[in-house]
Amino acid sequence: MKKTWLLFLLLFLLLATGSMAQTLPTEKIFFATGRLSYGLNDTIRVTGQLVRTDHAPSAGNETAGQLLLPYSRYLYVELLNSSDSVMVRKRLMTDEAGSFSAKMTLDPTTPKGVCYLRAYTRMMCNFSDYTIPVVPLEVFAETPTLAVTTAGMTCHFYPEGGQLVGDDMQQVAVCLTEGGNPLQTKAFLTSEQGDTLQEVVTTASGWAVFSFIPVQGRHYFLTATLGGRNQLFALPESDPQHPSLRLTKGKAQLAYDVLGTLPKGSKLYAYHQSTGLMVLPLKKKGIVVLEGIGPGVVTLMLTDRTDSIVSQSHCWHGGEKAAKTGDAGEQVFSLVRFLPLDEARQGIARSYVPTAEAMVNYQQDLFSEEPFPACYALENQADRTTDVMGWLCSARFSRFDVKKVLKEGWQAKNQPEVAPLIRGTVKGGGRQWALKEGTVVAYQRSTADAFSTEVNRDGTFVLPVGAYPDGDDFFIEAFDKKGKAGIYDYDFLGDTIPALRNHLHLWTAMADGQMENGKMKTENEVSHRGAFSFTGTNMIPEVVARAKVRVEHEQENKEYYGHRYLSEEALDKHNYQSFQEMVYHFAPYMRLIMASPERDDEGDSTDPTQEGMTELDQKTAPPEWHLFPANRISTLGGKDEIRIYVDGVLLSATQAFNLDMQQVASVEFMSPAKALPLHQGCINGCLEIKTKRFKPQSVRSMGVIYAPALGIANASQPYQPQTHEQPTEAGRYLKIVDEISVDGICSSAKVVTFER
C-alpha cells in the first residue's frame, strides 16, 4: 500500500423516483477474543480482519478472484464498561490485507460484570452506529459467573415483513428460550379451537420457521411442552390493512409480493452492499434481477408517501461457498479459538459468540433485538438455513436512516484513515480572520520529530504525523507565508467517538433480559418484540479533544521539551561547571569541536581560521571551538555551524566557551524551523542562551499542546500473525474456526475434549 495519504472524494447520494443510487463505499470488521470471561489483571487479546464489501468480486469483474483491499489502514478498538464509558481505546494499524491484533490489560480498578468490546474505522462512522460490531465479555474477580437458569419458557414471533396479514400464505419465525438459553424442542401450531395445524421443531439455537395461511379474525397459538406442562403462546393478530413484504429467492432473481393493502404514494427500495440503495418500480408482485452482484444480504423496503418504512424483508444472496484454506495465496484470514464449553453455554456472555460469517455477512447491515443464533456455527446446513431465515425475519435495516437519506442525500463525512493525522484551523486577530497560505509545524514529544504542512486559504490544515504511544502529545505552532511565528488561535478536529446504542444489554442480561434486580419481570413488564423501535437505547455523546491555549511565560512555553530546553532549575540540578559540560546535554543534536593547529602531510592547515599566523602564534594562540550538528560535521569551516545567541547577541563557540555558567538562566536548542523566524541564517538551528540579567516578558504562547483524545495510540508494530495454541487445561471446549478468503466467509464449530 502506498504511504501517501489516500484522497477519498466525498460522495453525495440524491435519490429520486426511478433513479439508481451510487454505491456507498463500506468497510466491515470481524474481530474476536480467545475467551468469553477474564479476571482482573488478565490480558484481552483481540484478533480480527477489516473487509471492504462495497464491490464484491464477480464474474466479468476485473477484480474477480481478488479480495479488494480495505480503504482504511487504521482502526479503533475500545473496551467499554456496562455504563457505556470508554475504559481503553487504541488506534491500531492493519497489515496490507486488513488483518490486525491488539492486547488490552485489565487493571485492578476495572469494574466487575459485563464489559463490551467494539471495533470500527473512521470510514465506518459515516453510517449508523448500529453497524459497529460489539462483543460482550465478563470481567470477574475470582471465577467466571454461570447464568442461573430460571424455570420458564419465552416465545417471540416474527412474521416476515413485520406484520401478519390474513388470507394469504405467510412465513413466520419463532424463537423459543428457556431461562434465556435456546430451547430445542417440538411445538405445535394450533387454532383457537385447539386443532393442530402443523408441527414445528426448533433448532439448537431455538429458531423455527413455518408457513401457513391465517384467516382474518381468527386466533392462532403455538403450544410447547416444558417439564410435562403445556404452555400456549398467542401469535400476533392479522391485519390485512397493513402491508407486508414476502420474498421468494430464486437462483438469479428475487420475487416479491406485497401482501395486504398497498398505501397510496408507496415506494419500493432495495439495498445491497455492492449496489447501494435503489428505487424499484412498485407492483403488487415483481421480480428483482440479481445477476452481476456479489454475495450479501438483499433488503427490500416498502415506504409510505412520507418515505417512512412500513414493511421490510431480507434474504441472503451469494451461495454457501466456504473458504479454501488449502490453496496458497487465496486465504486472507483465519482464526481458531477454543472456548470453555461451560462458558460458551452457560456464561453470562453466552448469548453472543462472534463468528466471521455472522458478523460480516449479516450483522453489520441489520439489527435485531434477538442475538444471532448462538449455535449457528455448530449446526448442519438445514438448521443453519433455518437459523438465518428466522433471524432475518426479526431483523431491521440499520446501515442508515432511509427517510433521512431520501430527504437530505447521503454524504461521506469521514474519510478513510491511512496515516495518523492532526486536523484543525488557525485563526488570528481574536478569531477574526483565518491564516492563509501559512505553515503549521508539530513537534512530537516522544520522538522529538517535527512535521509540517501548508495551511489552506480558509485556515484549515491536515497534518500527517508519526506513530505515537499512549499519552504522547504534540506542540503545534503556526507561521505565516513569510516564515514568521505569531500568536494564533487553534481549533482541532479531534477524534470523535461514535454514539453507542448498547443493544447488547438485551442479550447479556440474566434470563434473556427479563431479570431486574435479581427477580423475574412480570408478564406485563416484558417488552413486546413484535414491534421494532430504537427508543430506550443508551448513548454517549461525541467527544472532541481540543488543545488548550494558555497565557504563558516564554520559559514555560519551552518546558515542553526537556531534552531541548534547560531551565534555571535544571541547570542548578545538573550543576554544569563549563559550557562544554552543558553542551553534552544536547549531544543528540550537536558536537563541540576544537580546531587543531597541526598540519597534515601536505602542509595544509586543518583549521582555515589560523591561516596567515606564524607557527609560534599558532602554538600560543587559544584554541578555536566550533559547534557543529551531530549528524553532519563539515570541513567547510564555520559556515554550517549551529549559531549561538546569548541574550540575543550572536557569539562564536570560542566566545561562548568562556561563559560563566553561574550566570546562565536558560539554554534552548532550536531546530531550524523554530530558529529561522527569529534569526536569519540559522540553517542548522541555534543555541539560545539567556542569562540571569535577561528579563523575559510575559507573553502569550505562540503555540499549543495537542493531546489526542482518550490516550489513542498507534500499534507499536504492524499486525503480526497470531499462533493458536491448544488449551493447557483438561476439559471440553468449543473449537471455532473463522475463515475469510476470496471464495467467501465461513465459520464452523465443534465440541472437542482435551486431556492432561
Side-chain angles (χ1 to χ4, degrees):
M1 179 178 288
K2 296 181 179 180
K3 295 183 179 179
T4 56
W5 181 48
L6 175 64
L7 297 177
F8 179 66
L9 299 179
L10 296 181
L11 300 178
F12 294 91
L13 176 61
L14 297 174
L15 300 177
T17 302
S19 65
M20 178 178 291
Q22 298 180 30
T23 300
L24 309 182
T26 58
E27 291 175 324
K28 295 183 179 181
I29 289 180
F30 164 68
F31 73 98
T33 60
R35 295 159 55 185
L36 294 177
S37 59
Y38 292 87
L40 299 179
N41 297 317
D42 281 352
T43 298
I44 300 175
R45 300 177 186 272
V46 181
T47 304
Q49 175 71 28
L50 178 62
V51 180
R52 171 180 167 185
T53 61
D54 53 329
H55 292 287
S58 59
N61 191 334
E62 61 180 5
T63 59
Q66 302 178 17
L67 189 66
L68 299 184
L69 300 180
Y71 294 101
S72 303
R73 190 67 188 273
Y74 287 86
L75 58 93
Y76 300 84
V77 175
E78 297 173 342
L79 179 66
L80 307 105
N81 60 22
S82 57
S83 300
D84 301 341
S85 298
V86 178
M87 296 186 291
V88 181
R89 189 180 191 215
K90 288 185 177 294
R91 185 202 328 244
L92 304 177
M93 177 169 44
T94 71
D95 67 3
E96 290 190 355
S99 300
F100 63 91
S101 60
K103 297 179 181 179
M104 295 181 175
T105 301
L106 299 173
D107 58 51
T109 63
T110 304
K112 298 184 292 295
V114 179
C115 62
Y116 301 88
L117 276 172
R118 68 174 181 173
Y120 58 91
T121 65
R122 185 184 296 276
M123 187 179 182
M124 290 173 63
C125 295
N126 287 316
F127 299 95
S128 166
D129 27 86
Y130 281 93
T131 63
I132 295 175
V134 183
V135 175
L137 300 171
E138 180 193 2
V139 178
F140 60 86
E142 297 178 357
T143 57
T145 304
L146 299 182
V148 178
T149 301
T150 306
M153 183 170 22
T154 59
C155 178
H156 301 127
F157 297 101
Y158 297 98
E160 183 184 12
Q163 175 67 42
L164 199 62
V165 179
D167 303 326
D168 211 331
M169 181 67 71
Q170 194 167 359
Q171 191 169 257
V172 178
V174 57
C175 181
L176 282 174
T177 59
E178 177 192 0
N181 294 314
L183 179 61
Q184 187 174 24
T185 186
K186 288 183 179 180
F188 300 92
L189 178 66
T190 61
S191 65
E192 54 191 351
Q193 290 80 23
D195 298 330
T196 298
L197 303 179
Q198 59 178 286
E199 180 182 295
V200 177
V201 180
T202 58
T203 67
S205 298
W207 286 92
V209 179
F210 59 90
S211 298
F212 80 115
I213 302 176
V215 177
Q216 175 63 25
R218 295 185 182 180
H219 298 86
Y220 299 89
F221 302 88
L222 193 73
T223 303
T225 302
L226 181 64
R229 178 184 173 187
N230 290 337
Q231 296 190 43
L232 270 67
F233 302 95
L235 272 69
E237 293 186 8
S238 59
D239 180 7
Q241 299 302 315
H242 193 102
S244 188
L245 281 169
R246 180 179 64 189
L247 302 183
T248 305
K249 175 69 168 57
K251 184 176 181 181
Q253 65 182 24
L254 181 65
Y256 70 86
D257 295 288
V258 181
L259 307 180
T261 303
L262 188 62
K264 293 182 179 180
S266 297
K267 303 181 188 69
L268 184 63
Y269 295 93
Y271 178 84
H272 183 272
Q273 61 190 16
S274 66
T275 62
L277 188 66
M278 300 181 294
V279 59
L280 304 177
L282 178 58
K283 304 176 183 178
K284 285 284 287 184
K285 297 178 180 290
I287 298 293
V288 179
V289 179
L290 300 178
E291 291 182 355
I293 70 171
V297 174
V298 179
T299 295
L300 264 62
M301 292 167 282
L302 181 68
T303 65
D304 60 18
R305 64 177 61 192
T306 67
D307 289 323
S308 297
I309 297 176
V310 295
S311 180
Q312 56 183 284
S313 191
H314 325 276
C315 73
W316 172 256
H317 166 70
E320 303 294 339
K321 292 183 179 179
K324 296 181 179 179
T325 58
D327 295 339
E330 288 193 353
Q331 183 175 336
V332 175
F333 177 83
S334 178
L335 178 63
V336 180
R337 291 170 288 155
F338 294 90
L339 304 180
L341 191 60
D342 288 343
E343 291 183 38
R345 290 183 172 175
Q346 299 180 8
I348 61 176
R350 69 195 183 282
S351 295
Y352 192 83
V353 178
T355 60
E357 190 169 353
M359 290 183 71
V360 176
N361 285 346
Y362 304 104
Q363 291 183 278
Q364 292 182 50
D365 281 334
L366 306 176
F367 168 80
S368 173
E369 292 177 320
E370 299 288 355
F372 195 83
C375 300
Y376 173 78
L378 274 166
E379 295 174 344
N380 57 48
Q381 188 57 53
D383 287 347
R384 287 163 70 100
T385 301
T386 299
D387 283 346
V388 169
M389 291 175 60
W391 188 83
L392 289 178
C393 285
S394 73
R396 300 296 181 267
F397 183 74
S398 63
R399 176 152 290 278
F400 50 81
D401 186 330
V402 174
K403 183 176 181 179
K404 184 177 180 181
V405 167
L406 294 174
K407 181 179 180 181
E408 303 175 5
W410 183 83
Q411 180 180 357
K413 298 179 180 179
N414 297 288
Q415 301 179 8
E417 194 169 8
V418 297
L421 302 173
I422 297 177
R423 302 175 178 85
T425 59
V426 183
K427 294 184 178 181
R431 302 182 184 274
Q432 296 299 313
W433 48 268
L435 178 65
K436 298 180 180 180
E437 300 178 357
T439 304
V440 169
V441 179
Y443 304 93
Q444 186 174 349
R445 181 193 294 270
S446 63
T447 62
D449 289 334
F451 308 91
S452 64
T453 189
E454 294 182 356
V455 180
N456 301 321
R457 292 187 63 83
D458 60 354
T460 61
F461 66 89
V462 178
L463 179 64
V465 297
Y468 51 85
D470 285 313
D472 200 5
D473 48 23
F474 299 82
F475 185 80
I476 310 294
E477 191 169 10
F479 303 87
D480 62 19
K481 60 184 179 181
K482 295 182 179 180
K484 182 179 179 181
I487 297 174
Y488 301 104
D489 290 292
Y490 301 83
D491 290 312
F492 294 94
L493 177 61
D495 294 288
T496 59
I497 302 173
L500 174 65
R501 294 176 171 88
N502 203 344
H503 47 272
L504 290 192
H505 284 160
L506 295 172
W507 304 343
T508 54
M510 300 292 282
D512 194 28
Q514 300 186 42
M515 293 288 290
E516 188 174 39
N517 299 324
K519 298 180 180 180
M520 287 293 296
K521 296 180 182 179
T522 64
E523 189 65 29
N524 292 332
E525 291 174 317
V526 178
S527 62
H528 174 60
R529 297 196 177 188
F532 177 76
S533 173
F534 282 157
T535 59
T537 55
N538 301 312
M539 298 179 62
I540 55 178
E542 288 190 346
V543 176
V544 179
R546 298 185 182 278
K548 296 180 180 179
V549 180
R550 299 179 298 173
V551 176
E552 302 173 320
H553 287 82
E554 184 177 351
Q555 174 177 319
E556 294 173 346
N557 187 38
K558 296 168 184 174
E559 287 283 2
Y560 177 73
Y561 290 105
H563 56 285
R564 290 193 180 190
Y565 179 80
L566 286 173
S567 65
E568 187 171 353
E569 292 77 14
L571 287 167
D572 291 340
K573 177 181 178 181
H574 292 291
N575 193 26
Y576 294 123
Q577 298 299 311
S578 66
F579 178 77
Q580 188 176 16
E581 289 182 8
M582 184 268 295
V583 169
Y584 288 155
H585 176 84
F586 302 97
Y589 311 105
M590 63 188 70
R591 295 287 187 272
L592 188 64
I593 305 298
M594 182 179 68
S596 173
E598 298 179 359
R599 298 173 179 270
D600 57 22
D601 295 339
E602 287 76 17
D604 294 331
S605 173
T606 59
D607 183 5
T609 63
Q610 299 195 16
E611 292 183 1
M613 298 178 62
T614 64
E615 184 176 350
L616 178 61
D617 290 337
Q618 293 181 13
K619 291 182 179 180
T620 58
E624 291 280 346
W625 295 92
H626 300 277
L627 192 61
F628 292 111
N631 60 347
R632 182 159 61 103
I633 299 178
S634 173
T635 59
L636 300 177
K639 292 183 179 180
D640 65 342
E641 292 187 34
I642 295 175
R643 294 193 174 191
I644 303 171
Y645 290 87
V646 179
D647 290 346
V649 179
L650 178 63
L651 298 181
S652 67
T654 302
Q655 293 170 320
F657 193 83
N658 298 316
L659 280 174
D660 182 1
M661 295 304 299
Q662 300 302 316
Q663 296 299 317
V664 175
S666 66
V667 184
E668 179 186 9
F669 169 63
M670 291 186 176
S671 65
K674 297 191 67 175
L676 286 171
L678 301 177
H679 308 290
Q680 293 184 357
C682 296
I683 60 174
N684 292 296
C686 73
L687 200 62
E688 191 82 14
I689 300 175
K690 301 293 173 58
T691 67
K692 295 178 181 178
R693 297 187 299 272
F694 181 79
K695 301 297 183 181
Q697 296 181 353
S698 179
V699 296
R700 190 178 176 191
S701 171
M702 289 189 177
V704 294
I705 297 174
Y706 172 81
L710 296 175
I712 302 171
N714 295 320
S716 56
Q717 297 291 336
Y719 169 78
Q720 298 293 331
Q722 299 290 304
T723 56
H724 308 294
E725 299 179 355
Q726 294 184 349
T728 57
E729 297 183 5
R732 302 185 73 197
Y733 293 83
L734 183 65
K735 178 183 178 181
I736 303 176
V737 180
D738 296 288
E739 298 172 337
I740 300 176
S741 77
V742 174
D743 293 315
I745 300 171
C746 178
S747 299
S748 61
K750 64 179 179 179
V751 177
V752 296
T753 302
F754 287 93
E755 299 178 354
R756 291 184 181 274

